[in-house]
Amino acid sequence: MTDTTSFPPLKNDLIIRAARGEKTERAPVWVMRQAGRYLPEFRAERVENDFFKICRTPELATKVTLQPIDRYDGLLDASIIFSDILVIPQAMGMTVEMVPGKGPHFPTPLIVPADMAVQLKEKVDVHKELQYVFDAITMTRHALNGRVPLIGFVGAPWTLMAYMIEGGGSKTLSKAKEWIFKHPKESHELLGRITDVCVDFLIGQVHAGAQMLQVFESWGGELGPHDFEHFSLPYLAQIAKRVKAELGEEAVPMTVFAKGSWYALDKLSVIGYETVSLDWTHTPESAKAITQGRVTLQGNMDPNVLYGGDEAIVAAATRMVRGFGSTRRYIANLGHGILPTVPVEAMELFLKTVHRVGLEVAAEEKAAEAANDIKIIG
Ligand code: 1CP
């Protein structure tokens, strides 16, 4: 289970092909936060074990990563390794606790720039600090036995900086924003230091067995267009560039998800990522018009539709797949993580609808192409 040189052959590579812009038989689908809190089998695991204990124990991380793949057998086209974006601040020297029902808590957040020297390690060795994630990835990739590809991930620098300064979730991000406006130079230093760890960590995840990578800029939309361009975009670009410089351009498809940053879609489609993940504030038509086929689009149903009942779920998922098109440059997903109180049946209906409509659209496209061929020949 520790062998990182030979893995079972991949039986379903739809998502990899979609990310590379190749034609697919139907749109692949997975769901952000698909392992975890809304699943009864995960909640049962959490009664026994602390959140970070699950992350740090490869057997447990593997078990939880596979839970949605087993429950929705054949309906999910990717798995995502069970971990959290906040393992990077931990690796950098900070303490992060997961408070059940509340979320992450940093007992000693960064308050002033001088705290960086006190709290953060000068140099972070990801193999020393985060080897447990690499081990979990390797074990999970073997346990998946080629059923679907395994996605590795990091939080993006601005989002991680925000947590490190706020000390947890926040409605306004006032403290983190005070840093960028009052201490721009030190903010860039912090963002640069986080970026270095993100790059090493993503490269290590691929060496361990990750077949696709996603960068979560969950707090992107808290920055306006000008500040996003200064404090987020350059670091997102650096991450893609440096990972690909090390691993090779074609080694592994990368996805960027900048939640709320609708204004940056054009720029996000030219910074080196194969896929751009969208929240629900885009229409498929406008997103396609802006990105012009330069990237694969992922998303973007409002996760709250899963509370709307069967009719609403079928209608929204159908509109989404029909809008994006099923066979080229599209990966179906929600526009943000699935919420903790969503019924498991709602998720199943979403996945089944995406499959059914995806196949319908693919058949229609094929028929239209054939009709077109006949016209050309005729
Ligand atoms: O299948 C999966 O996606 C599970 C792996 C996973 C991932 C990709 C978890 C498990 N967390 C994440 C990413 C993550 N974590 C993000 C980026 C995606 C997003 O925007 O949703 C963010 C912002 C976090 C931070 C985080 N961790 C929060 C949000 C707090 C806030 O500020 O609002 C919370 C509540 C967590 C805890 C967490 N992470 C993951 C799980 C299953 C949980 C619940 C913890 C528990 O069981 O008590």
Side-chain angles (χ1 to χ4, degrees), residues 32-37 42 46 51 80-86 98 100 103-104 153 163 169 216 218-219 336:
M32 287 188 267
R33 304 290 201 98
Q34 68 189 20
R37 41 213 191 144
F42 173 75
R46 279 284 277 124
F51 176 79
I80 180 162
I81 190 64
F82 190 84
S83 178
D84 196 81
I85 62 168
L86 300 174
M98 201 56 79
F153 70 91
Y163 276 108
F216 285 95
S218 302
W219 295 119
H336 196 194

mmCIF file of all heavy atoms in Angstrom, residues 32-37 42 46 51 80-86 98 100 103-104 153 163 169 216 218-219 336, ligand 1:
data_model
loop_
_atom_site.group_PDB
_atom_site.id
_atom_site.type_symbol
_atom_site.label_atom_id
_atom_site.label_comp_id
_atom_site.label_asym_id
_atom_site.label_seq_id
_atom_site.Cartn_x
_atom_site.Cartn_y
_atom_site.Cartn_z
ATOM 1 N N MET A 32 -17.986 19.040 -4.623
ATOM 2 C CA MET A 32 -17.064 19.557 -3.611
ATOM 3 C C MET A 32 -17.587 19.211 -2.215
ATOM 4 O O MET A 32 -18.780 19.350 -1.959
ATOM 5 C CB MET A 32 -16.933 21.075 -3.763
ATOM 6 C CG MET A 32 -16.110 21.455 -4.992
ATOM 7 S SD MET A 32 -15.756 23.218 -5.045
ATOM 8 C CE MET A 32 -17.119 23.768 -6.044
ATOM 9 N N ARG A 33 -16.698 18.747 -1.353
ATOM 10 C CA ARG A 33 -17.022 18.280 -0.002
ATOM 11 C C ARG A 33 -17.889 17.023 -0.025
ATOM 12 O O ARG A 33 -18.706 16.814 0.871
ATOM 13 C CB ARG A 33 -17.737 19.377 0.805
ATOM 14 C CG ARG A 33 -16.987 20.676 0.911
ATOM 15 C CD ARG A 33 -15.766 20.512 1.804
ATOM 16 N NE ARG A 33 -15.334 21.793 2.301
ATOM 17 C CZ ARG A 33 -15.628 22.286 3.501
ATOM 18 N NH1 ARG A 33 -16.309 21.585 4.352
ATOM 19 N NH2 ARG A 33 -15.199 23.453 3.856
ATOM 20 N N GLN A 34 -17.696 16.191 -1.061
ATOM 21 C CA GLN A 34 -18.550 15.003 -1.192
ATOM 22 C C GLN A 34 -18.334 13.974 -0.090
ATOM 23 O O GLN A 34 -19.222 13.176 0.203
ATOM 24 C CB GLN A 34 -18.355 14.348 -2.563
ATOM 25 C CG GLN A 34 -16.988 13.722 -2.783
ATOM 26 C CD GLN A 34 -16.771 13.293 -4.236
ATOM 27 O OE1 GLN A 34 -17.437 13.751 -5.137
ATOM 28 N NE2 GLN A 34 -15.814 12.404 -4.468
ATOM 29 N N ALA A 35 -17.131 13.963 0.498
ATOM 30 C CA ALA A 35 -16.900 13.106 1.672
ATOM 31 C C ALA A 35 -17.148 13.992 2.886
ATOM 32 O O ALA A 35 -16.771 15.146 2.891
ATOM 33 C CB ALA A 35 -15.473 12.596 1.682
ATOM 34 N N GLY A 36 -17.795 13.458 3.895
ATOM 35 C CA GLY A 36 -17.900 14.279 5.090
ATOM 36 C C GLY A 36 -19.284 14.493 5.605
ATOM 37 O O GLY A 36 -20.188 13.694 5.367
ATOM 38 N N ARG A 37 -19.398 15.611 6.234
ATOM 39 C CA ARG A 37 -20.440 15.927 7.213
ATOM 40 C C ARG A 37 -21.880 15.556 6.876
ATOM 41 O O ARG A 37 -22.643 15.254 7.773
ATOM 42 C CB ARG A 37 -20.336 17.404 7.555
ATOM 43 C CG ARG A 37 -20.058 18.213 6.306
ATOM 44 C CD ARG A 37 -19.230 19.405 6.438
ATOM 45 N NE ARG A 37 -19.380 20.082 5.123
ATOM 46 C CZ ARG A 37 -19.416 21.364 4.932
ATOM 47 N NH1 ARG A 37 -19.280 22.161 5.960
ATOM 48 N NH2 ARG A 37 -19.575 21.863 3.742
ATOM 49 N N PHE A 42 -19.995 9.116 7.770
ATOM 50 C CA PHE A 42 -18.909 10.003 8.212
ATOM 51 C C PHE A 42 -19.178 10.489 9.632
ATOM 52 O O PHE A 42 -18.293 10.478 10.488
ATOM 53 C CB PHE A 42 -18.759 11.217 7.283
ATOM 54 C CG PHE A 42 -17.773 12.233 7.816
ATOM 55 C CD1 PHE A 42 -16.406 12.004 7.752
ATOM 56 C CD2 PHE A 42 -18.205 13.406 8.427
ATOM 57 C CE1 PHE A 42 -15.498 12.928 8.269
ATOM 58 C CE2 PHE A 42 -17.311 14.331 8.952
ATOM 59 C CZ PHE A 42 -15.954 14.085 8.859
ATOM 60 N N ARG A 46 -16.942 10.312 13.051
ATOM 61 C CA ARG A 46 -16.559 11.495 13.832
ATOM 62 C C ARG A 46 -16.913 11.364 15.307
ATOM 63 O O ARG A 46 -16.350 12.079 16.141
ATOM 64 C CB ARG A 46 -17.233 12.750 13.238
ATOM 65 C CG ARG A 46 -16.531 13.315 12.046
ATOM 66 C CD ARG A 46 -15.273 14.069 12.448
ATOM 67 N NE ARG A 46 -15.565 15.419 12.869
ATOM 68 C CZ ARG A 46 -15.222 15.944 14.032
ATOM 69 N NH1 ARG A 46 -14.569 15.224 14.901
ATOM 70 N NH2 ARG A 46 -15.512 17.189 14.319
ATOM 71 N N PHE A 51 -11.548 15.304 14.096
ATOM 72 C CA PHE A 51 -11.407 15.593 12.666
ATOM 73 C C PHE A 51 -9.968 15.439 12.179
ATOM 74 O O PHE A 51 -9.693 14.761 11.193
ATOM 75 C CB PHE A 51 -11.910 17.016 12.390
ATOM 76 C CG PHE A 51 -11.725 17.435 10.961
ATOM 77 C CD1 PHE A 51 -12.594 16.999 9.981
ATOM 78 C CD2 PHE A 51 -10.658 18.248 10.592
ATOM 79 C CE1 PHE A 51 -12.420 17.361 8.654
ATOM 80 C CE2 PHE A 51 -10.476 18.615 9.270
ATOM 81 C CZ PHE A 51 -11.361 18.172 8.300
ATOM 82 N N ILE A 80 -12.029 12.889 -3.909
ATOM 83 C CA ILE A 80 -11.117 13.936 -3.429
ATOM 84 C C ILE A 80 -10.604 13.497 -2.077
ATOM 85 O O ILE A 80 -11.389 13.052 -1.228
ATOM 86 C CB ILE A 80 -11.805 15.326 -3.390
ATOM 87 C CG1 ILE A 80 -10.838 16.394 -2.884
ATOM 88 C CG2 ILE A 80 -13.100 15.304 -2.605
ATOM 89 C CD1 ILE A 80 -11.261 17.830 -3.218
ATOM 90 N N ILE A 81 -9.303 13.621 -1.895
ATOM 91 C CA ILE A 81 -8.702 13.078 -0.683
ATOM 92 C C ILE A 81 -9.265 13.781 0.557
ATOM 93 O O ILE A 81 -9.418 15.002 0.570
ATOM 94 C CB ILE A 81 -7.154 13.179 -0.702
ATOM 95 C CG1 ILE A 81 -6.537 12.396 0.465
ATOM 96 C CG2 ILE A 81 -6.665 14.617 -0.715
ATOM 97 C CD1 ILE A 81 -6.776 10.920 0.439
ATOM 98 N N PHE A 82 -9.577 13.016 1.572
ATOM 99 C CA PHE A 82 -10.112 13.612 2.795
ATOM 100 C C PHE A 82 -8.994 14.292 3.566
ATOM 101 O O PHE A 82 -8.046 13.657 4.020
ATOM 102 C CB PHE A 82 -10.795 12.568 3.688
ATOM 103 C CG PHE A 82 -11.522 13.238 4.801
ATOM 104 C CD1 PHE A 82 -12.794 13.713 4.610
ATOM 105 C CD2 PHE A 82 -10.903 13.468 6.009
ATOM 106 C CE1 PHE A 82 -13.458 14.401 5.618
ATOM 107 C CE2 PHE A 82 -11.556 14.153 7.029
ATOM 108 C CZ PHE A 82 -12.836 14.614 6.829
ATOM 109 N N SER A 83 -9.121 15.605 3.686
ATOM 110 C CA SER A 83 -8.134 16.410 4.402
ATOM 111 C C SER A 83 -8.794 17.757 4.616
ATOM 112 O O SER A 83 -10.019 17.858 4.548
ATOM 113 C CB SER A 83 -6.863 16.527 3.548
ATOM 114 O OG SER A 83 -5.906 17.328 4.194
ATOM 115 N N ASP A 84 -8.033 18.802 4.862
ATOM 116 C CA ASP A 84 -8.614 20.137 4.937
ATOM 117 C C ASP A 84 -7.607 21.145 4.426
ATOM 118 O O ASP A 84 -6.399 20.889 4.453
ATOM 119 C CB ASP A 84 -9.021 20.483 6.371
ATOM 120 C CG ASP A 84 -9.972 21.670 6.384
ATOM 121 O OD1 ASP A 84 -11.172 21.471 6.139
ATOM 122 O OD2 ASP A 84 -9.506 22.803 6.592
ATOM 123 N N ILE A 85 -8.107 22.308 3.989
ATOM 124 C CA ILE A 85 -7.166 23.324 3.514
ATOM 125 C C ILE A 85 -6.279 23.829 4.657
ATOM 126 O O ILE A 85 -5.204 24.356 4.418
ATOM 127 C CB ILE A 85 -7.892 24.512 2.832
ATOM 128 C CG1 ILE A 85 -8.825 25.233 3.803
ATOM 129 C CG2 ILE A 85 -8.662 24.055 1.601
ATOM 130 C CD1 ILE A 85 -9.346 26.582 3.265
ATOM 131 N N LEU A 86 -6.715 23.650 5.908
ATOM 132 C CA LEU A 86 -5.986 24.243 7.034
ATOM 133 C C LEU A 86 -4.804 23.414 7.520
ATOM 134 O O LEU A 86 -4.148 23.775 8.492
ATOM 135 C CB LEU A 86 -6.962 24.553 8.166
ATOM 136 C CG LEU A 86 -8.053 25.542 7.705
ATOM 137 C CD1 LEU A 86 -9.101 25.731 8.778
ATOM 138 C CD2 LEU A 86 -7.447 26.886 7.317
ATOM 139 N N MET A 98 -10.515 21.812 15.319
ATOM 140 C CA MET A 98 -11.801 21.752 14.637
ATOM 141 C C MET A 98 -12.875 21.616 15.703
ATOM 142 O O MET A 98 -12.938 20.609 16.403
ATOM 143 C CB MET A 98 -11.808 20.560 13.671
ATOM 144 C CG MET A 98 -12.825 20.665 12.565
ATOM 145 S SD MET A 98 -12.709 22.150 11.561
ATOM 146 C CE MET A 98 -11.366 21.764 10.456
ATOM 147 N N PRO A 100 -16.510 20.920 16.746
ATOM 148 C CA PRO A 100 -17.699 20.334 16.117
ATOM 149 C C PRO A 100 -18.871 21.324 16.082
ATOM 150 O O PRO A 100 -19.134 22.007 17.072
ATOM 151 C CB PRO A 100 -18.022 19.120 17.009
ATOM 152 C CG PRO A 100 -16.747 18.807 17.722
ATOM 153 C CD PRO A 100 -16.027 20.119 17.878
ATOM 154 N N GLY A 103 -16.661 24.714 13.351
ATOM 155 C CA GLY A 103 -15.639 24.858 12.323
ATOM 156 C C GLY A 103 -14.268 25.116 12.906
ATOM 157 O O GLY A 103 -14.047 24.947 14.115
ATOM 158 N N PRO A 104 -13.333 25.548 12.066
ATOM 159 C CA PRO A 104 -11.940 25.680 12.513
ATOM 160 C C PRO A 104 -11.719 26.844 13.466
ATOM 161 O O PRO A 104 -12.342 27.881 13.339
ATOM 162 C CB PRO A 104 -11.179 25.906 11.198
ATOM 163 C CG PRO A 104 -12.182 26.302 10.180
ATOM 164 C CD PRO A 104 -13.517 25.837 10.635
ATOM 165 N N PHE A 153 -5.587 18.553 -3.261
ATOM 166 C CA PHE A 153 -5.972 19.973 -3.214
ATOM 167 C C PHE A 153 -5.159 20.762 -2.193
ATOM 168 O O PHE A 153 -4.509 20.193 -1.322
ATOM 169 C CB PHE A 153 -7.472 20.109 -2.908
ATOM 170 C CG PHE A 153 -7.855 19.711 -1.498
ATOM 171 C CD1 PHE A 153 -7.885 20.657 -0.472
ATOM 172 C CD2 PHE A 153 -8.185 18.402 -1.191
ATOM 173 C CE1 PHE A 153 -8.245 20.302 0.834
ATOM 174 C CE2 PHE A 153 -8.548 18.033 0.102
ATOM 175 C CZ PHE A 153 -8.578 18.987 1.115
ATOM 176 N N TYR A 163 -7.686 32.956 7.019
ATOM 177 C CA TYR A 163 -7.932 32.117 8.201
ATOM 178 C C TYR A 163 -6.858 32.332 9.268
ATOM 179 O O TYR A 163 -7.134 32.351 10.466
ATOM 180 C CB TYR A 163 -7.960 30.630 7.817
ATOM 181 C CG TYR A 163 -9.304 30.171 7.301
ATOM 182 C CD1 TYR A 163 -9.505 29.876 5.966
ATOM 183 C CD2 TYR A 163 -10.384 30.016 8.170
ATOM 184 C CE1 TYR A 163 -10.737 29.453 5.484
ATOM 185 C CE2 TYR A 163 -11.626 29.596 7.706
ATOM 186 C CZ TYR A 163 -11.792 29.313 6.368
ATOM 187 O OH TYR A 163 -13.011 28.904 5.915
ATOM 188 N N GLY A 169 -13.521 31.187 10.744
ATOM 189 C CA GLY A 169 -14.408 31.802 9.758
ATOM 190 C C GLY A 169 -14.746 33.227 10.179
ATOM 191 O O GLY A 169 -14.602 33.587 11.353
ATOM 192 N N PHE A 216 -8.352 25.861 -3.918
ATOM 193 C CA PHE A 216 -9.578 26.476 -3.401
ATOM 194 C C PHE A 216 -9.318 27.906 -2.921
ATOM 195 O O PHE A 216 -8.737 28.096 -1.847
ATOM 196 C CB PHE A 216 -10.105 25.693 -2.197
ATOM 197 C CG PHE A 216 -10.769 24.378 -2.524
ATOM 198 C CD1 PHE A 216 -10.060 23.182 -2.488
ATOM 199 C CD2 PHE A 216 -12.123 24.320 -2.838
ATOM 200 C CE1 PHE A 216 -10.683 21.966 -2.756
ATOM 201 C CE2 PHE A 216 -12.759 23.108 -3.104
ATOM 202 C CZ PHE A 216 -12.036 21.927 -3.070
ATOM 203 N N SER A 218 -11.485 30.048 -1.613
ATOM 204 C CA SER A 218 -12.870 30.148 -1.136
ATOM 205 C C SER A 218 -13.270 31.569 -0.761
ATOM 206 O O SER A 218 -14.437 31.924 -0.797
ATOM 207 C CB SER A 218 -13.068 29.223 0.063
ATOM 208 O OG SER A 218 -12.755 27.897 -0.310
ATOM 209 N N TRP A 219 -12.303 32.404 -0.382
ATOM 210 C CA TRP A 219 -12.611 33.784 0.008
ATOM 211 C C TRP A 219 -12.232 34.780 -1.085
ATOM 212 O O TRP A 219 -12.081 35.970 -0.810
ATOM 213 C CB TRP A 219 -11.890 34.135 1.313
ATOM 214 C CG TRP A 219 -12.354 33.348 2.498
ATOM 215 C CD1 TRP A 219 -11.585 32.512 3.260
ATOM 216 C CD2 TRP A 219 -13.673 33.292 3.062
ATOM 217 N NE1 TRP A 219 -12.345 31.942 4.260
ATOM 218 C CE2 TRP A 219 -13.642 32.403 4.164
ATOM 219 C CE3 TRP A 219 -14.892 33.895 2.736
ATOM 220 C CZ2 TRP A 219 -14.760 32.107 4.930
ATOM 221 C CZ3 TRP A 219 -16.004 33.596 3.519
ATOM 222 C CH2 TRP A 219 -15.925 32.715 4.586
ATOM 223 N N HIS A 336 -20.488 25.308 -4.881
ATOM 224 C CA HIS A 336 -19.656 25.342 -3.663
ATOM 225 C C HIS A 336 -19.896 24.008 -2.969
ATOM 226 O O HIS A 336 -20.622 23.157 -3.487
ATOM 227 C CB HIS A 336 -20.052 26.525 -2.768
ATOM 228 C CG HIS A 336 -19.025 26.867 -1.723
ATOM 229 N ND1 HIS A 336 -19.293 27.681 -0.655
ATOM 230 C CD2 HIS A 336 -17.723 26.496 -1.580
ATOM 231 C CE1 HIS A 336 -18.209 27.813 0.095
ATOM 232 N NE2 HIS A 336 -17.233 27.097 -0.451
HETATM 233 O O1 1CP B 1 -14.881 15.532 0.134
HETATM 234 C C1 1CP B 1 -14.356 16.541 0.580
HETATM 235 O O2 1CP B 1 -14.357 17.593 -0.064
HETATM 236 C C2 1CP B 1 -13.747 16.453 1.929
HETATM 237 C C3 1CP B 1 -12.404 17.063 2.076
HETATM 238 C C4 1CP B 1 -12.459 18.543 2.448
HETATM 239 C C5 1CP B 1 -12.108 19.625 1.634
HETATM 240 C C6 1CP B 1 -11.776 19.599 0.157
HETATM 241 C C7 1CP B 1 -12.777 19.055 3.721
HETATM 242 C C8 1CP B 1 -13.222 18.270 4.865
HETATM 243 N N1 1CP B 1 -12.541 20.409 3.700
HETATM 244 C C9 1CP B 1 -12.152 20.776 2.447
HETATM 245 C C10 1CP B 1 -11.779 22.097 1.965
HETATM 246 C C11 1CP B 1 -12.054 23.290 2.794
HETATM 247 N N2 1CP B 1 -11.984 23.428 4.147
HETATM 248 C C12 1CP B 1 -12.363 24.545 2.248
HETATM 249 C C13 1CP B 1 -12.405 24.839 0.781
HETATM 250 C C14 1CP B 1 -13.709 24.484 0.183
HETATM 251 C C15 1CP B 1 -14.842 25.365 0.584
HETATM 252 O O3 1CP B 1 -14.776 26.579 0.356
HETATM 253 O O4 1CP B 1 -15.833 24.813 1.081
HETATM 254 C C16 1CP B 1 -12.538 25.445 3.310
HETATM 255 C C17 1CP B 1 -12.890 26.910 3.228
HETATM 256 C C18 1CP B 1 -12.286 24.732 4.511
HETATM 257 C C19 1CP B 1 -12.294 25.273 5.875
HETATM 258 C C20 1CP B 1 -13.238 24.550 6.719
HETATM 259 N N3 1CP B 1 -12.999 23.292 7.203
HETATM 260 C C21 1CP B 1 -14.544 24.949 7.124
HETATM 261 C C22 1CP B 1 -15.233 26.246 6.755
HETATM 262 C C23 1CP B 1 -15.295 27.169 7.917
HETATM 263 C C24 1CP B 1 -15.731 28.531 7.520
HETATM 264 O O5 1CP B 1 -14.889 29.411 7.559
HETATM 265 O O6 1CP B 1 -16.903 28.706 7.179
HETATM 266 C C25 1CP B 1 -15.074 23.923 7.916
HETATM 267 C C26 1CP B 1 -16.385 23.885 8.633
HETATM 268 C C27 1CP B 1 -14.101 22.879 7.921
HETATM 269 C C28 1CP B 1 -14.226 21.560 8.571
HETATM 270 C C29 1CP B 1 -14.322 20.406 7.671
HETATM 271 N N4 1CP B 1 -13.503 20.138 6.594
HETATM 272 C C30 1CP B 1 -13.868 18.958 6.001
HETATM 273 C C31 1CP B 1 -14.964 18.444 6.781
HETATM 274 C C32 1CP B 1 -15.656 17.127 6.527
HETATM 275 C C33 1CP B 1 -15.248 19.351 7.806
HETATM 276 C C34 1CP B 1 -16.288 19.209 8.923
HETATM 277 C C35 1CP B 1 -15.549 19.016 10.192
HETATM 278 C C36 1CP B 1 -16.183 18.078 11.167
HETATM 279 O O7 1CP B 1 -16.389 16.915 10.839
HETATM 280 O O8 1CP B 1 -16.388 18.524 12.288
#
